[in-house]
Amino acid sequence: EMEAKYSRKMQALRDEMDLRRKTEIHELEERKNTQISELMGNHEGAFGAIKNYYNDITAKNLTLINLLKEQVEDLKKKEAVLEKEKADVLLENKALTEPLREAQELVAELQKKLVHYYRDKEALLNSKAHLKITQKELKDLQWEHEVLEQRFSKVQEERDELYQKFTKAINEVQQKTGFKNLLLERKLQGLLSLLEQKEVELNEVVSASNLDPSTLSLVSHKLEDVLNSKNATIHDLQLQLARVCKAHNDMLQTFEAKLTAFGIPLDNLGFQPLSFPFPGQ
């Protein structure tokens, strides 16, 4: 029963599927026939349009050919007229050849004269322009000369003023430096003399007192401390003296550089600046 039942269902399904297939095939054929009809209609329309287009072109070309034929006929007629006119012109040219040659020779001669005229005119204009430029340059040079003379006078005044100031400054610095160096040297000599005197007195005191070794050692240490302090003072004074000498020598070098920059020879000073040697030199 189940087999018979499903056989009937299978048969019904097959019949349904066959009917659907036939329907779809029929629809496909209908669409195909419709597209074929549309394509044929489109092709016939396009073919008609192309046929009309080429018919129009052919008609236009025939019209153009006829027009060109007419133009060719007109051109031939004009050519004949021009040939006749050409013959007449050749006859006239033969009659005018000699006057033309004479006129050409005259033109060539006039052109040569014109070239010389333009050349002379251009040379004259160049000379005038060069003269104006030269006059302007002369005025500029005269003005620059006057300006340079004024600047030279001013520089000479500044040089003389600077020379006087520097001479005065050199004298003052040399006086101050020499005075300060003399004071420092005298102070140093005084300290050295005092140190020698103290050493002599100390030796006399030690010899006269007959101190024991421990007391003598203590006194010696104190004396060494005093001597170290005095030596430090002497060293500081020597450093101060060296700084003063260096400042003086630097000032002399700066002055010489300024004189060289202003173009003043060192021999124009009238004296030889003293450069102090550093202590120990």
Side-chain angles (χ1 to χ4, degrees), residues 92-118:
E92 292 179 359
N93 287 338
K94 288 181 179 179
L96 296 175
T97 301
E98 186 63 24
L100 177 63
R101 185 181 61 78
E102 294 177 357
Q104 287 178 347
E105 292 177 356
L106 180 61
V107 168
E109 185 178 356
L110 292 175
Q111 285 180 346
K112 290 181 181 179
K113 293 181 179 179
L114 184 63
V115 169
H116 290 297
Y117 170 74
Y118 285 143

Side-chain angles (χ1 to χ4, degrees), residues 75-281:
L75 290 174
K76 286 182 178 179
K77 293 178 181 179
K78 290 181 179 179
E79 184 179 3
V81 174
L82 291 174
E83 287 292 336
K84 186 178 179 182
E85 292 179 354
K86 178 182 177 182
D88 296 336
V89 169
L90 289 175
L91 292 175
E92 292 179 359
N93 287 338
K94 288 181 179 179
L96 296 175
T97 301
E98 186 63 24
L100 177 63
R101 185 181 61 78
E102 294 177 357
Q104 287 178 347
E105 292 177 356
L106 180 61
V107 168
E109 185 178 356
L110 292 175
Q111 285 180 346
K112 290 181 181 179
K113 293 181 179 179
L114 184 63
V115 169
H116 290 297
Y117 170 74
Y118 285 143
R119 188 181 301 167
D120 295 338
K121 185 177 179 181
E122 185 177 0
L124 180 61
L125 292 175
N126 292 332
S127 300
K128 288 182 178 179
H130 186 67
L131 178 61
K132 289 182 180 179
I133 294 173
T134 305
Q135 289 177 350
K136 186 177 181 303
E137 291 178 353
L138 178 61
K139 290 181 180 179
D140 293 339
L141 290 174
Q142 289 176 350
W143 181 78
E144 290 180 1
H145 179 68
E146 292 178 359
V147 172
L148 289 175
E149 284 185 349
Q150 294 177 2
R151 290 178 61 185
F152 179 72
S153 301
K154 187 176 180 181
V155 169
Q156 281 185 335
E157 293 177 358
E158 291 178 355
R159 182 199 64 182
D160 297 337
E161 184 179 357
L162 180 63
Y163 176 75
Q164 294 176 0
K165 289 182 179 179
F166 184 76
T167 304
K168 183 178 179 181
I170 286 292
N171 293 330
E172 292 178 356
V173 170
Q174 284 185 345
Q175 291 176 1
K176 292 179 181 179
T177 306
F179 182 69
K180 192 170 183 179
N181 290 341
L182 182 61
L183 289 177
L184 291 174
E185 289 178 357
R186 288 184 179 179
K187 190 173 182 180
L188 182 61
Q189 292 295 331
L191 290 174
L192 291 175
S193 301
L194 182 60
L195 178 61
E196 292 177 356
Q197 183 179 356
K198 293 296 182 181
E199 288 179 352
V200 172
E201 292 178 357
L202 180 61
N203 291 329
E204 291 178 355
V205 170
V206 170
S207 299
S209 59
N210 294 322
L211 297 175
D212 56 346
S214 61
T215 304
L216 184 59
S217 176
L218 179 61
V219 171
S220 298
H221 284 302
K222 289 183 179 181
L223 180 60
E224 288 178 358
D225 293 338
V226 173
L227 289 176
N228 290 331
S229 175
K230 296 300 182 181
N231 289 330
T233 302
I234 292 171
H235 183 67
D236 292 338
L237 292 174
Q238 289 176 346
L239 289 178
Q240 292 180 10
L241 180 62
R243 282 196 296 270
V244 171
C245 292
K246 186 177 184 305
H248 177 75
N249 293 335
D250 291 342
M251 186 267 296
L252 286 179
Q253 292 177 359
T254 302
F255 173 70
E256 292 176 356
K258 288 292 184 181
L259 289 180
T260 304
F262 281 101
I264 302 174
L266 298 178
D267 298 337
N268 291 348
L269 288 177
F271 63 93
Q272 182 66 31
L274 298 177
S275 61
F276 295 100
F278 295 146
Q281 294 181 350

Side-chain angles (χ1 to χ4, degrees), residues 30-45:
E30 289 292 334
R31 287 198 297 270
K32 180 184 69 172
N33 293 328
T34 303
Q35 290 180 357
I36 289 172
S37 299
E38 291 177 355
L39 288 173
M40 289 179 69
N42 293 333
H43 288 170
E44 289 178 358

